Amino acid sequence: MTQLDAARAGTITDAMERVAERERVDPEFVRQQVADGQAVIPTNVNHDRLDPMVIGREFATKVNANIGNSEESGDSETELEKLHTAVHHGADTVMDLSTGSDLDEIRTANLAHSPVPIGTVPIYEAVTRVEDPTELTTERLLSVIEKQAQQGVDYMTIHAGVRLEHLPLTDGRTTGIVSRGGSILAKWMEDNQAENPLYTAFDEICAILSEYDVTISLGDGLRPGSLADAGDPAQYAELETLGELTRRAWDHGVQVMVEGPGHVPMDEIAGQVERQQSVCDGAPFYVLGPLVTDIAPGYDHITSAIGATEAARAGAAMLCYVTPKEHLGLPDAEDVRDGLAAYRIAAHAADVANGREGAREWDDALSEARYAFDWQRQFELALDPERARAFHDQTLPGDNYETARFCSMCGVEFCSMRIDQDARDEGGMDEIEIDDTDGTDPETSQAAAVNRPPVGTHDTAAGPTDSPGADD
Ligand code: SF4
């Protein structure tokens, strides 16, 4: 019986009890959300080390970290180090996207050590077992899915929504098909002139997943890989199929989440989330970023965290992190740390804005510690305590600074919080009378004049004078 089956039968499982405790909500609320398909608890019956967690828009926004080796680098030891780094820095789930050697060894080690759900993309392993991707067969795909389910994988990305009839819709795209799974399947369909085997065998796949309670993560194989391709007919045609597959998986008792883009201009993100929620009947939306601009390779943990915040604000339930190495190379442990920090900030910012239970208290507690110059408490409460402490101690090392009423940013003389506190301690601040009878005239005020931006600086309608066509 899957968590979905149990929830529908009115049973509150141990996993539901545990996630209710973690989320500070009533277990019955968790059961209801799971029963309605609005939340998932990825819990393979064979993943013994797992501490259950929940993914759904009514719960705290979750963050996934991708790890995995490639043909070029990464073995079991380095992957375990990345897993450790990811969990240590707050990943709620981890996807093992290994495509190199020792796949079974890496997956087994990860599952043995991981307290968080482990996700995979089974087609990656299936491809490594054939000479050419066009040789993939339905039987091979099913056998890899079954083996990984037996091993204890908690959720799997299955790109069943890419249909043969969708492929012509990608003609003319700026960046074609950028999903690894999507591109492999598209090539397979073109070479074999046949429908996607993950689509035709979808009911058999669901039967396997339901046996081990593997959550299906419906992959978006046609996600846009550039702003130019966002929201195009190919993306939305696939989304319609993902909606159909969501309902079919639910019929099998399989828990479902749906994956989303990719690269999307900021002003289109909320609309995309709302569309997914509508088409897929509220199944949790698991988004990759999205990146809100294409211009910053090397900083795509930032470009995508901006989009991730917007997506979570609009209802996305889990954010798949992006590291600074996106588009450029395989992330190492430090990239994992940087990507996770960016995404945990994105998730938390959205949780604060969405009024999520307990989110805002964290900010207030840290601010109080900051104003009290309680450095130890400030470090403990920091998103990345080790980095906060290290940055502070770079310039003011030693125990005698732990109670200092300043840091090196403004220095002892100019520490505004110290000055402010001293002024309040001396008293009299609340006795100051403000004469606002004549108000402030921005035309004559010296302060207003110097703080005003130069003419045209903030006028986004005005382009550079030397831009093409400016003289037309
Ligand atoms: S010196 Fe400046 S940055 Fe440092 S604690 Fe004081 S006000 Fe804050």
Side-chain angles (χ1 to χ4, degrees):
M1 189 182 259
T2 65
Q3 295 291 326
L4 177 55
D5 292 330
R8 284 170 169 167
T11 304
I12 294 174
T13 63
D14 291 347
M16 293 173 203
E17 294 273 9
R18 172 62 182 142
V19 302
E21 180 188 11
R22 295 180 73 173
E23 300 277 340
R24 296 197 259 170
V25 297
D26 186 344
E28 171 56 22
F29 179 70
V30 176
R31 187 202 65 75
Q32 190 65 56
Q33 287 287 305
V34 173
D36 293 344
Q38 310 300 289
V40 296
I41 304 176
T43 46
N44 187 309
V45 294
N46 288 338
H47 187 180
D48 298 332
R49 279 289 311 270
L50 184 71
D51 185 7
M53 49 78 74
V54 66
I55 303 166
R57 70 178 177 281
E58 295 299 327
F59 302 97
T61 308
K62 303 304 187 302
V63 172
N64 171 71
N66 288 338
I67 60 171
N69 74 352
S70 70
E71 274 179 61
E72 280 68 37
S73 77
D75 57 17
S76 179
E77 199 175 318
T78 55
E79 290 311 308
L80 267 183
E81 184 195 345
K82 286 187 210 166
L83 172 67
H84 177 78
T85 303
V87 174
H88 179 71
H89 288 287
D92 297 294
T93 75
V94 171
M95 289 198 82
D96 173 9
L97 303 185
S98 294
T99 54
S101 55
D102 305 326
L103 298 184
D104 270 328
E105 186 185 333
I106 289 170
R107 192 178 313 113
T108 304
N110 284 343
L111 284 162
H113 289 87
S114 180
V116 304
I118 294 287
T120 60
V121 187
I123 196 170
Y124 294 174
E125 181 180 357
V127 166
T128 65
R129 299 194 185 282
V130 292
E131 288 289 316
D132 186 282
T134 56
E135 295 167 13
L136 276 177
T137 61
T138 303
E139 292 67 34
R140 185 171 295 281
L141 286 164
L142 289 173
S143 81
V144 169
I145 290 168
E146 175 134 40
K147 183 193 66 178
Q148 294 193 1
Q150 280 173 346
Q151 286 178 309
V153 170
D154 300 289
Y155 68 95
M156 294 184 192
T157 296
I158 305 287
H159 296 94
V162 189
R163 305 281 309 276
L164 187 59
E165 66 194 32
H166 298 157
L167 301 186
L169 299 174
T170 63
D171 289 345
R173 272 186 159 189
T174 298
T175 44
I177 299 173
V178 298
S179 152
R180 276 190 274 186
S183 64
I184 292 165
L185 287 161
K187 178 157 174 34
W188 188 96
M189 285 187 268
E190 278 167 1
D191 289 352
N192 292 285
Q193 280 302 301
E195 185 55 273
N196 178 352
L198 295 175
Y199 181 81
T200 52
F202 192 71
D203 293 319
E204 291 153 275
I205 292 169
C206 285
I208 296 169
L209 301 186
S210 118
E211 188 179 343
Y212 298 92
D213 200 359
V214 178
T215 296
I216 193 166
S217 186
L218 290 169
D220 55 336
L222 299 182
R223 68 168 172 264
S226 54
L227 298 194
D229 297 340
D232 72 351
Q235 184 194 343
Y236 285 144
E238 183 187 35
L239 180 61
E240 290 297 323
T241 305
L242 297 182
E244 170 210 324
L245 296 174
T246 296
R247 291 177 278 280
R248 277 172 63 186
W250 280 340
D251 288 344
H252 286 270
V254 173
Q255 301 186 83
V256 181
M257 54 185 174
V258 178
E259 297 184 14
H263 293 237
V264 181
M266 184 95 146
D267 58 308
E268 295 176 22
I269 291 173
Q272 289 227 5
V273 175
E274 284 157 20
R275 186 163 179 157
Q276 180 276 341
Q277 291 286 279
S278 168
V279 171
C280 300
D281 294 346
F285 201 20
Y286 168 28
V287 292
L288 177 70
L291 286 71
V292 294
T293 174
D294 300 337
I295 63 161
Y299 297 93
D300 278 333
H301 59 317
I302 297 172
T303 63
S304 61
I306 293 168
T309 312
E310 178 79 356
R313 179 93 170 95
M318 183 155 81
L319 312 173
C320 182
Y321 87 164
V322 171
T323 76
K325 290 273 175 60
E326 184 75 9
H327 302 114
L328 302 172
L330 193 69
D332 60 20
E334 194 59 21
D335 299 318
V336 170
R337 177 181 183 171
D338 288 344
L340 267 168
Y343 271 69
R344 287 186 63 216
I345 293 166
H348 179 71
D351 285 346
V352 169
N354 288 340
R356 196 69 64 215
E357 174 76 20
R360 173 60 186 276
E361 282 88 328
W362 185 4
D363 298 74
D364 294 344
L366 194 142
S367 290
E368 282 163 21
R370 178 175 285 152
Y371 192 66
F373 292 106
D374 186 344
W375 294 102
Q376 292 311 317
R377 181 79 179 133
Q378 193 180 159
F379 298 150
E380 284 164 18
L381 287 168
L383 181 105
D384 186 340
E386 292 148 31
R387 176 159 297 183
R389 189 186 306 276
F391 279 12
H392 174 268
D393 291 355
Q394 260 176 14
T395 45
L396 294 180
D399 292 346
N400 51 332
Y401 289 114
E402 289 191 358
T403 53
R405 297 178 69 223
F406 66 98
C407 73
S408 66
M409 182 173 171
C410 320
V412 63
E413 288 296 327
F414 289 90
C415 176
S416 54
M417 293 201 304
R418 182 193 60 73
I419 295 167
D420 175 75
Q421 288 175 18
D422 289 348
R424 286 173 199 282
D425 289 347
E426 285 164 16
M429 232 188 210
D430 48 359
E431 292 161 19
I432 298 171
E433 286 184 18
I434 300 168
D435 178 7
D436 59 355
T437 49
D438 59 358
T440 301
D441 180 358
E443 297 308 318
T444 56
S445 159
Q446 273 295 97
V450 294
N451 285 321
R452 211 175 294 148
V455 174
T457 305
H458 289 190
D459 181 5
T460 53
T465 51
D466 59 350
S467 66
D471 296 327
D472 290 352

